[in-house]
């Protein structure tokens, strides 16, 4: 028996160590709340006058809607489309993306996620924030094993250190600031309707900030929350600025624990002028959110927690997290590709736990920055969350599945409106459960099987999930809608209009498209899985969904080629190569021969316009290659050197200006590596990694393999 993997060694060899020259932003958080920091360990180089959009304080409850009624009701955006079920209303985008109608624009912009505060260093005498020229020698170390960032720099020649940590359960951060000549200032913005902005600093009269001792009270129209301060003296210095100063000497700036409090990550003993402050955010009034267990209108007492206490809790949480979940050790390999894959795995696991482990499905930029105004895309939820079950963190997947439970009534209404049973899941949505107007989103289908797939992955990690009545209902309602969305075609079944495939390259043809290859394979597989859920509970109609699945068209064209559509438009080799998901993300179902999948993979690798792709496309390629037992192809695909597959020093995958992070790439990397290392049911070990690497893994589950018939 081989020795147990030294998990701390695997994790710690990938600790990010950054300098001023690195264009990457580190963050701390707990999955529901996170902050990003610059090289000072604060958010000094953000705010008014800065175009940096990654330095935010975001929480999954922090949504804001502009005051006033929408200029048109949401229902006015529905448009009738012909379907196999007759004329049915679908949400549309009057005016198009370039000039949407006022009603469509309002619902696209509202609600939007807002950055809840900015914490910045300011000069103790003049109150101005330091200039970049005054900060020299900046270095930063994220200790992944404790979830703590240590930032060191010099301000006007004086040595400074800031230690930044987040509470693993509460919406709170601890900041230990040893910076002669500098104080800490909190500033507060208004909400923004901008696509990628989380803050507006141009509307000071539209919101209120009131400092009441250790409590800062905030209101932005329908959003109200408090910031509780412990360990510092707070003084309001402007309409939306509060200055924090060390509140005493010898007692670690008033932490109440004195010099006996435990120190972390190279902390020195407390001394005069050291600011050790805890900032906790507590929602008072927030829009109605599907967040089970969240207390409404909680006032919250001023925290008595010390910074040292939060650092200790953070260290315990992260050590336990790394020890108790999955690990992939590629340390024996001399191939530099192995080191890079291991780095991406470790950093992606940290990022996903910080940014995507809450109750709401995350935005594609997580809690680092806004994209699509902070709204989340359910067709990306599988890429965000599937890895949790595969890498031994099933509890994080289970939390996010609560969203589907809460959203069932709304999804049932959508299905009813479209002439279907069950529940129809939208693409782009916010916590108000209103589908966002779009000429793409409402016509996508591939988010519909995701709850079935995610529930099945959770069941494999935790068999008790199969007995959870709420999950049983989500699986059943998702499957019923899939059945009714099928298009009769003689003795067989297909998928009919209105429809847009996952490639999203045929928007103008949505009223007549049919039978995208990936969706045919995914629906057929998901119905078989849902039937297994029926069988396990001895349902009288067990077997019915499998019978229906057998009638669904093969994804292949008549000439046996795996292309974007079974019939219809010719394949456009740009954007997502979604047809490859039919033999990768979807396990082999017997309808696609391995030779056809291999030929499609080779065609894509040779001919595709990779500059037009997105971050999850590379894990998609790697999964197909791993299912085909082509490890070299899988590795090269996952590390393809393209602009949207670059993994920065913090572990993020910047996609383009305005989209500086992309969590589907992180989650997809972890899913692909799970398949490459642990394989699939009844398949070989490490089918997607070179044998010479000596790969070892613990706590990683195989992915579903081919299903046998009921």
């Amino acid at each position: 028996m081989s020795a147990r993997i030294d998990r701390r060694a695997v994790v710690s060899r990938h600790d990010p160590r950054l300098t001023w020259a690195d264009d990457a932003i580190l963050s701390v958080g707990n999955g529901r709340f996170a902050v990003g920091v610059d090289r000072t360990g604060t958010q000094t180089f953000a705010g008014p006058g800065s175009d940096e959009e990654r330095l935010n304080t975001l929480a999954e409850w922090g949504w804001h809607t502009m005051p006033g009624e929408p200029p048109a009701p949401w229902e006015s955006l529905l448009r009738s489309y012909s379907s196999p079920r007759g004329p049915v209303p679908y949400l549309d985008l009057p005016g198009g993306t370039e000039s949407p109608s006022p009603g469509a624009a309002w619902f696209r912009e509202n609600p939007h996620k807002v950055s809840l505060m900015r914490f910045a260093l300011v000069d103790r005498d003049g109150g101005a924030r330091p200039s970049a020229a005054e900060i020299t020698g900046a270095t930063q170390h994220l200790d992944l094993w404790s979830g703590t960032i240590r930032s060191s720099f010099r301000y006007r020649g004086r040595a400074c250190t800031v230690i930044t940590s987040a509470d693993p359960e509460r919406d709170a951060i601890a900041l230990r600031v040893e910076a002669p000549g500098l104080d800490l200032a909190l500033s507060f913005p208004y909400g923004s309707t901008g696509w990628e902005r989380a803050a507006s600093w141009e509307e000071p009269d539209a919101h209120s900030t009131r400092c009441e001792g250790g409590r800062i009270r905030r209101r932005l129209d329908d959003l109200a929350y408090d910031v509780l301060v412990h360990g510092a003296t707070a003084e309001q210095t402007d309409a939306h600025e509060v200055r924090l100063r060390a509140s005493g000497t010898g007692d670690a700036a008033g932490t109440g624990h004195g010099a006996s409090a435990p120190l972390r990550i190279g902390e020195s003993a407390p001394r005069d002028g050291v600011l050790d402050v805890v900032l906790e955010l507590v929602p008072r009034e927030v829009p109605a959110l599907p967040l089970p267990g969240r207390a409404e209108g909680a006032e919250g007492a001023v925290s008595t927690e010390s910074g040292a206490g939060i650092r200790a809790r953070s260290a315990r949480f992260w050590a336990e997290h790394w020890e108790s979940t999955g690990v992939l050790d590629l340390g024996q390999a001399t191939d530099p590709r192995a080191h890079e894959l291991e780095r991406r795995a470790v950093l992606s696991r940290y990022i996903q736990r910080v940014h995507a482990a809450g109750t709401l499905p995350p935005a594609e930029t997580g809690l680092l920055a806004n994209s699509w105004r902070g709204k989340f895309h359910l067709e990306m939820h599988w890429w965000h969350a599937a890895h949790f079950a595969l890498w031994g963190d099933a509890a994080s997947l289970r939390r996010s599945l609560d969203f589907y439970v809460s959203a069932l009534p709304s999804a049932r209404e959508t299905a009813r409106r479209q002439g279907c049973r069950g529940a129809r899941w939208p693409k782009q949505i916010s916590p108000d459960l209103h589908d966002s107007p779009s000429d793409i989103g409402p016509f996508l289908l591939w988010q519909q099987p995701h709850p079935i797939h995610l529930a099945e992955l959770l069941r494999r990690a935790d068999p008790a999930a199969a007995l959870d009545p709420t999950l049983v209902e989500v699986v059943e309602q998702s499957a019923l809608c899939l059945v009714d969305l099928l298009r009769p075609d003689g003795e067989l079944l297909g998928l009919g209009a209105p429809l847009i495939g996952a490639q999203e390259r045929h928007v103008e043809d949505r009223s007549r498209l049919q039978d995208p290859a990936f969706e045919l394979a995914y629906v057929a597989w998901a119905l078989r899985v849902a039937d297994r859920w029926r069988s396990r509970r001895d349902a009288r109609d067990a077997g019915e969904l499998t019978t229906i699945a057998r009638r669904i068209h093969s994804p292949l064209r008549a000439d046996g080629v795996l292309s974007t559509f079974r019939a219809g438009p010719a394949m456009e080799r740009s954007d997502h190569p979604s047809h490859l998901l039919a033999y990768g993300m979807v396990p082999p179902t017997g309808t696609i021969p391995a030779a056809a999948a291999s030929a499609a993979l080779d065609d894509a690798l040779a001919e595709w316009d990779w500059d037009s792709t997105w971050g999850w496309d590379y894990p998609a390629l790697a999964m197909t290659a791993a299912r085909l037992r082509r490890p070299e192809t899988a590795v090269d695909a996952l590390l393809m050197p393209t602009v949207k597959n670059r993994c920065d020093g913090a572990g993020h995958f910047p996609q383009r200006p305005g989209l500086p992070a992309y969590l589907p790439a992180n989650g997809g990397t972890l899913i692909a590596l799970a398949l490459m290392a642990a394989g699939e049911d009844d398949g070989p070990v490490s089918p997607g990694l070179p044998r010479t690497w000596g790969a070892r893994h613990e706590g990683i589950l195989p992915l579903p393999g081919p299903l046998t018939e009921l």
Side-chain angles (χ1 to χ4, degrees), residues 195-214:
W195 187 90
E196 77 282 4
R197 295 186 66 192
S200 170
W201 301 95
E202 294 81 35
E203 302 171 83
D205 297 332
H207 56 121
S208 65
T209 304
R210 190 170 75 253
C211 182
E212 299 177 354

Side-chain angles (χ1 to χ4, degrees), residues 178-521:
E178 300 183 31
L182 293 170
D183 285 333
L184 195 68
L186 308 182
S187 53
F188 299 92
Y190 192 56
S192 169
T193 59
W195 187 90
E196 77 282 4
R197 295 186 66 192
S200 170
W201 301 95
E202 294 81 35
E203 302 171 83
D205 297 332
H207 56 121
S208 65
T209 304
R210 190 170 75 253
C211 182
E212 299 177 354
R215 183 188 299 272
I216 303 167
R217 303 184 74 86
R218 289 277 295 141
R219 177 169 289 280
L220 298 79
D221 307 310
D222 60 338
L223 172 63
Y225 60 96
D226 291 346
V227 180
L228 310 180
V229 179
H230 183 72
T233 299
E235 176 189 359
Q236 189 154 0
T237 53
D238 204 345
H240 299 294
E241 181 176 284
V242 174
R243 185 82 63 87
L244 304 182
R245 294 186 176 89
S247 56
T249 62
D251 184 35
T255 62
H257 290 271
S260 63
L263 300 174
R264 302 284 167 186
I265 317 302
E267 296 176 29
S268 59
R271 63 177 186 269
D272 293 356
V274 174
L275 178 64
D276 202 348
V277 63
V278 172
L279 304 172
E280 181 172 7
L281 283 76
V282 179
R284 295 199 322 270
E285 299 174 26
V286 300
L289 305 178
L291 300 177
R294 184 183 58 77
E296 291 285 353
E299 285 289 322
V302 175
S303 172
T304 59
E305 182 61 271
S306 69
I310 284 182
R311 288 187 287 275
R313 268 211 309 282
S314 174
R316 285 195 300 270
F317 168 81
W318 281 104
E320 181 181 352
H321 175 75
W322 295 118
E323 288 284 10
S324 63
T325 56
V327 62
L328 174 62
D329 181 5
L330 302 177
Q332 296 182 33
T334 58
D335 188 332
R337 297 177 302 168
H339 178 84
E340 177 59 14
L341 282 182
E342 189 184 89
R343 183 185 79 91
R344 293 186 181 199
V346 170
L347 295 182
S348 291
R349 294 209 59 222
Y350 177 81
I351 285 170
Q352 292 290 79
R353 189 58 185 80
V354 166
H355 291 282
T359 302
L360 291 180
E364 296 186 11
T365 42
L367 295 167
L368 184 79
N370 263 5
S371 56
W372 289 274
R373 304 171 180 89
K375 295 184 179 182
F376 39 93
H377 293 186
L378 291 189
E379 103 274 24
M380 287 292 99
H381 190 211
W382 186 86
W383 298 93
H384 287 300
H387 67 89
F388 284 125
L390 300 172
W391 286 75
D393 188 11
S396 290
L397 173 57
R398 181 64 187 86
R399 275 193 299 277
S400 68
L401 290 178
D402 279 337
F403 170 80
Y404 295 96
V405 177
S406 300
L408 260 177
S410 176
R412 281 195 178 108
E413 174 57 26
T414 301
R416 183 203 62 76
R417 189 169 58 243
Q418 296 181 358
C420 297
R421 296 171 296 165
R424 179 78 192 264
W425 304 109
K427 187 252 192 191
Q428 182 176 310
I429 195 171
S430 53
D432 62 1
L433 303 181
H434 270 136
D435 199 354
S436 188
S438 172
D439 52 3
I440 295 176
F443 306 94
L444 291 175
L445 179 64
W446 68 301
Q447 70 273 15
Q448 185 64 27
H450 282 353
I452 299 173
H453 199 162
L454 291 170
E456 175 66 5
L457 292 176
L458 179 65
R459 182 199 66 79
R460 291 161 60 88
D462 178 10
L467 305 177
D468 185 331
T470 61
L471 290 184
V472 168
E473 186 70 2
V474 167
V475 169
E476 180 68 14
Q477 297 302 310
S478 301
L480 288 175
C481 186
L482 281 176
V483 170
D484 288 357
L485 288 170
L486 290 169
R487 169 182 61 88
D489 190 11
E491 295 298 317
L492 298 176
L493 298 169
L495 293 168
L499 177 69
I500 294 176
Q503 189 187 32
E504 299 187 11
R505 268 293 180 263
H506 302 276
V507 177
E508 300 304 320
D509 297 322
R510 61 186 179 272
S511 62
R512 55 183 177 272
L513 285 178
Q514 59 188 34
D515 293 346
F518 159 54
E519 283 82 350
L520 286 173

Side-chain angles (χ1 to χ4, degrees), residues 362-706:
E364 296 186 11
T365 42
L367 295 167
L368 184 79
N370 263 5
S371 56
W372 289 274
R373 304 171 180 89
K375 295 184 179 182
F376 39 93
H377 293 186
L378 291 189
E379 103 274 24
M380 287 292 99
H381 190 211
W382 186 86
W383 298 93
H384 287 300
H387 67 89
F388 284 125
L390 300 172
W391 286 75
D393 188 11
S396 290
L397 173 57
R398 181 64 187 86
R399 275 193 299 277
S400 68
L401 290 178
D402 279 337
F403 170 80
Y404 295 96
V405 177
S406 300
L408 260 177
S410 176
R412 281 195 178 108
E413 174 57 26
T414 301
R416 183 203 62 76
R417 189 169 58 243
Q418 296 181 358
C420 297
R421 296 171 296 165
R424 179 78 192 264
W425 304 109
K427 187 252 192 191
Q428 182 176 310
I429 195 171
S430 53
D432 62 1
L433 303 181
H434 270 136
D435 199 354
S436 188
S438 172
D439 52 3
I440 295 176
F443 306 94
L444 291 175
L445 179 64
W446 68 301
Q447 70 273 15
Q448 185 64 27
H450 282 353
I452 299 173
H453 199 162
L454 291 170
E456 175 66 5
L457 292 176
L458 179 65
R459 182 199 66 79
R460 291 161 60 88
D462 178 10
L467 305 177
D468 185 331
T470 61
L471 290 184
V472 168
E473 186 70 2
V474 167
V475 169
E476 180 68 14
Q477 297 302 310
S478 301
L480 288 175
C481 186
L482 281 176
V483 170
D484 288 357
L485 288 170
L486 290 169
R487 169 182 61 88
D489 190 11
E491 295 298 317
L492 298 176
L493 298 169
L495 293 168
L499 177 69
I500 294 176
Q503 189 187 32
E504 299 187 11
R505 268 293 180 263
H506 302 276
V507 177
E508 300 304 320
D509 297 322
R510 61 186 179 272
S511 62
R512 55 183 177 272
L513 285 178
Q514 59 188 34
D515 293 346
F518 159 54
E519 283 82 350
L520 286 173
Y522 198 15
V523 171
W525 179 81
L527 289 178
R528 287 180 166 92
V529 170
D531 218 358
R532 297 293 181 95
W533 280 64
R534 283 184 176 182
S535 181
R536 272 188 290 271
R537 67 177 188 272
D538 295 323
R540 287 188 297 176
D541 51 1
E544 176 186 283
L545 298 177
T546 298
T547 299
I548 293 170
R550 291 192 191 110
R551 295 174 55 202
I552 294 176
H553 274 297
S554 163
L556 298 181
R557 291 188 335 207
D559 59 4
V561 171
L562 177 59
S563 184
T564 310
F565 292 91
R566 182 187 69 85
M571 182 162 61
E572 296 186 21
R573 291 174 171 82
S574 61
D575 203 83
H576 306 299
S578 58
H579 58 300
L580 297 178
L581 295 174
Y583 197 102
M585 175 186 173
V586 179
T589 60
T591 59
I592 302 173
S598 189
L601 176 60
D602 287 336
D603 174 82
L605 291 170
E607 302 291 341
W608 215 264
D609 174 17
W610 292 109
D611 287 343
S612 68
T613 56
W614 294 81
W616 59 264
D617 291 317
Y618 308 98
L621 293 174
M623 284 190 280
T624 299
R627 298 273 193 193
L628 292 167
R629 318 292 189 251
R630 294 173 54 177
E632 287 291 338
T633 304
V635 171
D636 287 343
L638 203 51
L639 294 176
M640 189 179 294
T642 66
V643 65
K644 291 183 180 177
N645 198 34
R646 179 180 69 87
C647 184
D648 70 17
H652 287 291
F653 290 83
Q655 299 294 287
R656 57 169 173 74
L659 193 54
Y662 196 63
L663 267 64
N666 298 99
T669 294
L670 293 171
I671 299 165
L673 284 172
L675 179 58
M676 292 161 69
E680 63 186 8
D681 296 335
D682 301 322
V685 176
S686 298
L689 296 173
R691 292 184 180 276
T692 56
W693 284 10
R696 298 196 301 157
H697 61 85
E698 293 172 357
I700 303 177
L701 295 180
L703 272 74

Side-chain angles (χ1 to χ4, degrees), residues 9-326:
V10 173
V11 170
S12 297
R13 62 181 172 239
H14 301 292
D15 280 3
R17 298 176 186 271
L18 307 178
T19 68
W20 198 268
D22 295 297
D23 183 27
I25 294 296
L26 299 177
S27 50
V28 295
N30 57 29
R32 302 172 301 279
F33 164 83
V35 300
V37 298
D38 59 31
R39 293 296 171 270
T40 68
T42 69
Q43 298 171 341
T44 299
F45 296 99
S50 170
D51 59 2
E52 176 57 72
E53 299 292 349
R54 296 172 292 177
L55 300 176
N56 295 294
T57 301
L58 296 173
E60 64 176 7
W61 49 263
W63 295 85
H64 170 249
T65 297
M66 290 296 178
E69 295 298 318
W74 183 86
E75 290 75 12
S76 69
L77 306 176
L78 297 172
R79 173 186 167 192
S80 181
Y81 281 82
S82 297
S83 81
R85 304 171 304 285
V88 293
Y90 275 69
L91 189 67
D92 215 325
L93 184 60
T97 55
E98 297 301 320
S99 56
S101 69
W106 194 94
F107 283 103
R108 284 166 70 85
E109 295 170 354
N110 293 288
H112 43 263
K113 196 171 285 181
V114 62
S115 187
L116 300 167
M117 71 176 179
R118 167 183 170 240
F119 49 99
L121 297 171
V122 295
D123 187 79
R124 183 166 298 159
D125 296 326
R129 69 179 183 179
S131 68
E134 292 176 305
I135 302 294
T136 60
T139 61
Q140 201 167 46
H141 172 209
L142 168 56
D143 181 359
L144 294 167
W145 199 257
S146 67
T148 301
I149 300 172
R150 179 184 179 88
S151 306
S152 301
F153 55 94
R154 302 186 77 84
Y155 173 61
R156 296 180 178 176
R158 291 170 287 189
C160 302
T161 301
V162 176
I163 299 174
T164 314
S165 301
D167 192 281
E169 295 179 353
R170 293 151 46 207
D171 300 343
I173 58 169
L175 291 162
R176 180 181 173 87
V177 181
E178 300 183 31
L182 293 170
D183 285 333
L184 195 68
L186 308 182
S187 53
F188 299 92
Y190 192 56
S192 169
T193 59
W195 187 90
E196 77 282 4
R197 295 186 66 192
S200 170
W201 301 95
E202 294 81 35
E203 302 171 83
D205 297 332
H207 56 121
S208 65
T209 304
R210 190 170 75 253
C211 182
E212 299 177 354
R215 183 188 299 272
I216 303 167
R217 303 184 74 86
R218 289 277 295 141
R219 177 169 289 280
L220 298 79
D221 307 310
D222 60 338
L223 172 63
Y225 60 96
D226 291 346
V227 180
L228 310 180
V229 179
H230 183 72
T233 299
E235 176 189 359
Q236 189 154 0
T237 53
D238 204 345
H240 299 294
E241 181 176 284
V242 174
R243 185 82 63 87
L244 304 182
R245 294 186 176 89
S247 56
T249 62
D251 184 35
T255 62
H257 290 271
S260 63
L263 300 174
R264 302 284 167 186
I265 317 302
E267 296 176 29
S268 59
R271 63 177 186 269
D272 293 356
V274 174
L275 178 64
D276 202 348
V277 63
V278 172
L279 304 172
E280 181 172 7
L281 283 76
V282 179
R284 295 199 322 270
E285 299 174 26
V286 300
L289 305 178
L291 300 177
R294 184 183 58 77
E296 291 285 353
E299 285 289 322
V302 175
S303 172
T304 59
E305 182 61 271
S306 69
I310 284 182
R311 288 187 287 275
R313 268 211 309 282
S314 174
R316 285 195 300 270
F317 168 81
W318 281 104
E320 181 181 352
H321 175 75
W322 295 118
E323 288 284 10
S324 63
T325 56

